[in-house]
Short mmCIF file of all heavy atoms in Angstrom, two decimals:
data_model
loop_
_atom_site.label_atom_id
_atom_site.label_comp_id
_atom_site.label_asym_id
_atom_site.label_seq_id
_atom_site.Cartn_x
_atom_site.Cartn_y
_atom_site.Cartn_z
N LEU A 58 103.91 -159.76 12.55
CA LEU A 58 103.98 -161.16 12.11
C LEU A 58 103.51 -161.36 10.67
O LEU A 58 103.67 -162.44 10.12
CB LEU A 58 103.15 -162.04 13.05
CG LEU A 58 103.66 -162.16 14.49
CD1 LEU A 58 102.67 -162.95 15.33
CD2 LEU A 58 105.03 -162.81 14.52
N ASN A 59 102.92 -160.33 10.06
CA ASN A 59 102.34 -160.47 8.73
C ASN A 59 102.84 -159.38 7.78
O ASN A 59 102.04 -158.61 7.25
CB ASN A 59 100.80 -160.43 8.84
CG ASN A 59 100.12 -160.77 7.55
OD1 ASN A 59 100.70 -161.38 6.67
ND2 ASN A 59 98.87 -160.35 7.43
N LYS A 63 99.96 -161.95 3.90
CA LYS A 63 99.35 -163.27 4.10
C LYS A 63 100.44 -164.22 4.55
O LYS A 63 101.47 -164.36 3.89
CB LYS A 63 98.70 -163.80 2.83
CG LYS A 63 97.97 -165.11 3.08
CD LYS A 63 97.10 -165.51 1.92
CE LYS A 63 96.31 -166.75 2.33
NZ LYS A 63 95.44 -167.21 1.26
N THR A 64 100.22 -164.82 5.73
CA THR A 64 101.22 -165.74 6.27
C THR A 64 100.55 -166.66 7.29
O THR A 64 99.37 -166.53 7.57
CB THR A 64 102.39 -164.95 6.92
OG1 THR A 64 103.44 -165.86 7.21
CG2 THR A 64 101.97 -164.24 8.18
N LYS A 65 101.32 -167.60 7.82
CA LYS A 65 100.85 -168.50 8.87
C LYS A 65 101.70 -168.31 10.10
O LYS A 65 102.89 -167.98 10.02
CB LYS A 65 100.93 -169.96 8.41
CG LYS A 65 99.96 -170.31 7.32
CD LYS A 65 100.06 -171.78 6.96
CE LYS A 65 99.10 -172.10 5.82
NZ LYS A 65 99.21 -173.51 5.42
N THR A 66 101.08 -168.55 11.26
CA THR A 66 101.81 -168.48 12.53
C THR A 66 101.13 -169.44 13.51
O THR A 66 100.18 -170.14 13.15
CB THR A 66 101.85 -167.04 13.08
OG1 THR A 66 102.76 -166.98 14.18
CG2 THR A 66 100.49 -166.55 13.52
N THR A 67 101.60 -169.45 14.73
CA THR A 67 101.03 -170.33 15.74
C THR A 67 100.41 -169.51 16.87
O THR A 67 100.74 -168.33 17.07
CB THR A 67 102.12 -171.23 16.37
OG1 THR A 67 103.07 -170.40 17.03
CG2 THR A 67 102.80 -172.07 15.32
N LYS A 70 103.04 -168.28 19.34
CA LYS A 70 103.78 -167.08 18.94
C LYS A 70 102.94 -165.82 19.17
O LYS A 70 103.43 -164.81 19.65
CB LYS A 70 104.20 -167.17 17.48
CG LYS A 70 105.17 -166.08 17.07
CD LYS A 70 105.65 -166.28 15.65
CE LYS A 70 107.00 -166.97 15.71
NZ LYS A 70 107.66 -167.01 14.40
N ILE A 104 93.44 -172.38 12.18
CA ILE A 104 93.55 -173.57 11.33
C ILE A 104 94.01 -174.73 12.20
O ILE A 104 94.12 -174.59 13.42
CB ILE A 104 94.51 -173.33 10.13
CG1 ILE A 104 95.89 -172.87 10.61
CG2 ILE A 104 93.90 -172.34 9.16
CD1 ILE A 104 96.92 -172.72 9.49
N GLU A 105 94.29 -175.86 11.59
CA GLU A 105 94.66 -177.06 12.35
C GLU A 105 95.95 -176.88 13.14
O GLU A 105 96.77 -176.03 12.83
CB GLU A 105 94.76 -178.28 11.42
CG GLU A 105 95.91 -178.25 10.43
CD GLU A 105 95.66 -177.39 9.20
OE1 GLU A 105 94.51 -177.07 8.88
OE2 GLU A 105 96.65 -177.02 8.55
N GLY A 108 97.36 -173.55 14.69
CA GLY A 108 97.91 -172.59 13.74
C GLY A 108 96.91 -171.50 13.41
O GLY A 108 95.71 -171.61 13.68
N TYR A 109 97.42 -170.43 12.83
CA TYR A 109 96.59 -169.31 12.40
C TYR A 109 97.07 -168.80 11.06
O TYR A 109 98.27 -168.72 10.82
CB TYR A 109 96.63 -168.16 13.42
CG TYR A 109 95.75 -168.43 14.62
CD1 TYR A 109 96.22 -169.17 15.70
CD2 TYR A 109 94.45 -167.96 14.65
CE1 TYR A 109 95.41 -169.44 16.79
CE2 TYR A 109 93.62 -168.23 15.74
CZ TYR A 109 94.11 -168.96 16.80
OH TYR A 109 93.30 -169.24 17.87
N VAL A 110 96.13 -168.46 10.20
CA VAL A 110 96.43 -167.77 8.95
C VAL A 110 96.23 -166.30 9.22
O VAL A 110 95.20 -165.89 9.75
CB VAL A 110 95.48 -168.23 7.81
CG1 VAL A 110 95.69 -167.37 6.57
CG2 VAL A 110 95.67 -169.68 7.50
N LEU A 111 97.22 -165.47 8.88
CA LEU A 111 97.13 -164.02 9.02
C LEU A 111 96.94 -163.42 7.64
O LEU A 111 97.63 -163.79 6.68
CB LEU A 111 98.39 -163.46 9.66
CG LEU A 111 98.82 -164.07 11.00
CD1 LEU A 111 100.06 -163.37 11.53
CD2 LEU A 111 97.70 -164.03 12.02
#
Side-chain angles (χ1 to χ4, degrees):
L58 293 175
N59 189 20
K63 185 169 185 180
T64 191
K65 291 182 182 178
T66 190
T67 63
K70 191 175 262 190
I104 55 175
E105 68 280 341
Y109 282 85
V110 173
L111 306 182

